[in-house]
Amino acid sequence: MGLLTNRVERTDIRPGDHIYTYRAVFAYSHHGIFVGGSKVVHFTRVETSDHSDDEMIALPSSCPTFPDCGFRQPKSGVVLTCLDCFLQNGSLYSFEYGVTPSVFFAKVRGGTCTTAASDPPETVIHRAMYLLQNGFGNYDVFQNNCEDFALYCKTGLLTVDSLGVGRSGQASSVIGAPLAALLSSPLKLLMPSPVGVATVTAGMYCMSRYATDIGVRTDVIKVAVEDLAVNLGWPGSRAEVGAESELSIEQIAQ
């Protein structure tokens, strides 16, 4: 990985890594947690007749390699697929954690890194497998999307303000770019040079991204995955779910 791209090879990723791939000719990225055994746990909108969101992926009806590919609980958007079905012929990228502010600013596109530190891989995998059994609530493109899911699995952090933007760097970029352009537009009267206006707009965009990063925000708290599942109202006792999650991890490793 470098400043220009986070692209990696399959041999570079390890269980517990936050990975992503681009969809629709780099229009947006889809994120997930690699849990080993060529399997990925990720979050998408549950398919219904009245939704056609870009982030809703086509789950494999029959994977020729893994019979459990596409497993999910009823009405849950958290799904287990193989790496091939997750990528859908796209390239593989690795999300970076614990980057310095200078590196964060250098990554112009949102949804590629965070200043927040990652928890140990075993904790990350436990969260992903637990949420595979319990769900991650309702999908929302701005407040609860696939990147939010992966960020929570990696850090255990949730935003307190449910009305604001979520943890997703992609969502922050979508909101931040028009906001920066809007805020910088009055400066056109003071700056005759288009280059000056563009520089100010770019600076505001970067600052808006940085201000919403989970490693910088003050409205985030650490929430145990067991408490998160209970608060989301998913059924099933804690002991039963824990047993199911352990069994799933063993099956994945095979």
Side-chain angles (χ1 to χ4, degrees):
M1 292 188 293
L3 289 178
L4 298 180
T5 178
N6 287 2
R7 186 171 176 175
V8 294
E9 300 297 329
R10 297 187 183 212
T11 54
D12 295 327
I13 60 175
R14 298 291 182 267
D17 281 355
H18 175 173
I19 62 175
Y20 63 98
T21 187
Y22 286 103
R23 301 270 198 261
V25 196
F26 293 91
Y28 69 97
S29 55
H30 185 61
H31 298 245
I33 298 296
F34 180 67
V35 293
S38 296
K39 302 291 182 61
V40 184
V41 178
H42 48 118
F43 182 51
T44 183
R45 185 191 293 276
V46 177
E47 184 174 1
T48 58
S49 58
D50 56 346
H51 288 297
S52 59
D53 191 87
D54 286 340
E55 188 128 25
M56 183 174 61
I57 65 168
L59 298 182
S61 56
S62 58
C63 178
T65 308
F66 298 98
D68 59 347
C69 184
F71 170 82
R72 65 177 178 86
Q73 296 289 6
K75 298 182 180 181
S76 171
V78 183
V79 60
L80 173 74
T81 64
C82 69
L83 183 57
D84 287 333
C85 292
F86 172 81
L87 293 175
Q88 295 184 7
N89 297 319
S91 298
L92 176 63
Y93 297 82
S94 179
F95 197 97
E96 291 186 85
Y97 284 81
V99 302
T100 62
S102 59
V103 171
F104 185 89
F105 284 123
K107 303 279 189 178
V108 178
R109 182 160 187 167
T112 60
C113 64
T114 177
T115 59
S118 170
D119 288 329
E122 57 272 18
T123 302
V124 176
I125 296 174
H126 169 68
R127 289 183 185 130
M129 297 306 300
Y130 193 97
L131 294 175
L132 177 64
Q133 300 292 345
N134 290 271
F136 194 60
N138 296 324
Y139 178 92
D140 185 279
V141 68
F142 290 113
Q143 293 185 339
N144 200 43
N145 58 39
C146 62
E147 187 182 344
D148 291 315
F149 170 81
L151 285 167
Y152 171 74
C153 288
K154 289 288 285 185
T155 66
L157 297 175
L158 288 177
T159 54
V160 177
D161 184 9
S162 61
L163 298 179
V165 67
R167 301 165 298 284
S168 167
Q170 280 190 104
S172 299
S173 296
V174 170
I175 295 173
L179 180 61
L182 179 64
L183 292 176
S184 63
S185 58
L187 297 176
K188 294 179 181 178
L189 300 176
L190 303 176
M191 293 184 179
S193 171
V195 176
V197 175
T199 301
V200 172
T201 301
M204 289 183 174
Y205 164 73
C206 291
M207 288 305 299
S208 68
R209 278 186 53 233
Y210 184 71
T212 55
D213 179 61
I214 60 168
V216 178
R217 295 173 64 159
T218 58
D219 61 340
V220 294
I221 57 174
K222 198 94 167 181
V223 179
V225 68
E226 293 82 4
D227 295 335
L228 173 66
V230 170
N231 291 335
L232 289 174
W234 283 82
S237 69
R238 188 172 302 181
E240 293 173 346
V241 173
E244 292 176 355
S245 298
E246 292 176 0
L247 178 61
S248 299
I249 293 174
E250 291 176 357
Q251 292 173 338
I252 287 171
Q254 294 177 351

